[in-house]
Amino acid sequence: MAATGDRANSPRIPNANSQPMVHHDGLFNRSDSMAVVSKRLVEMLDHVEHRVELLREHAAAMEQERDCLLTMIKTIQENKELDTISAGFEKEEIQITAERLLARCLAVEIQVSTPRNQMQSDALFRINQFIDDLVAAVRTDWELSERKCQMFLNSCLADCKGALDQKFQACLIECTADDQKKIKKRLDSLLKTIQHMSENRES
């Protein structure tokens, strides 16, 4: 009889397929089977993954906008037309405003890490050198800089029929897909800035 009583009072071991689960948010309850719990967890992870990708896309877009703004400000600072403005309030005001905007833009820190191997990192470094040299050249030769920027941009297009820069394209191919997209958008913004400033100079 004692043995029978012990069995009656001993805790019942649940079946592996119906192990109780309790979640403080009420997502799971004791009647849920392991299969149901597993399905819900997978669905939650899928939802989180989607939101993570959206977060990365939005952050990457903000990062690209910041880079484009920095490029525009530096292009304005390198504009040789500033030399034609007589020293005085207007020139000083332009320089001060550009420095202020540059400082404010640099104060915005956005970073979306892109996994790269050594070859991809080296390729991105060389691409940035190409673009930095291009921005510096805007000051001395607008037309050449515009043509060069267009060639760089053409190198980013799969079906472009215009002139390409083979050295730039060779480096671009070695970059990650994410970096290639960012480079294309950066060049597109830079080209529009050069064209806009060139039109203002001619008018």
Side-chain angles (χ1 to χ4, degrees), residues 134-200:
L134 175 63
V135 172
V138 171
R139 180 176 177 83
T140 56
D141 195 328
W142 279 89
E143 294 182 354
L144 178 61
S145 298
E146 183 176 347
R147 290 197 302 270
K148 198 71 173 177
C149 188
Q150 184 65 67
M151 290 173 66
F152 287 170
L153 185 58
N154 290 345
S155 302
C156 300
L157 306 177
D159 56 349
C160 180
K161 298 180 181 179
L164 308 175
D165 187 295
Q166 294 183 350
K167 291 183 179 180
F168 183 89
Q169 189 178 55
C171 293
L172 183 71
I173 292 173
E174 294 179 352
C175 292
T176 66
D178 285 344
D179 285 335
Q180 290 179 17
K181 293 177 183 177
K182 293 178 182 179
I183 292 165
K184 179 179 178 297
K185 290 183 178 180
R186 183 181 176 189
L187 288 170
D188 185 60
S189 176
L190 177 58
L191 180 61
K192 290 178 180 177
T193 300
I194 295 175
Q195 291 172 339
H196 177 70
M197 296 182 70
S198 179
E199 290 171 358
N200 288 342

Side-chain angles (χ1 to χ4, degrees), residues 86-94:
S86 58
F89 176 77
E90 288 187 358
K91 182 176 182 179
E92 183 180 358
E93 183 70 14
I94 291 173

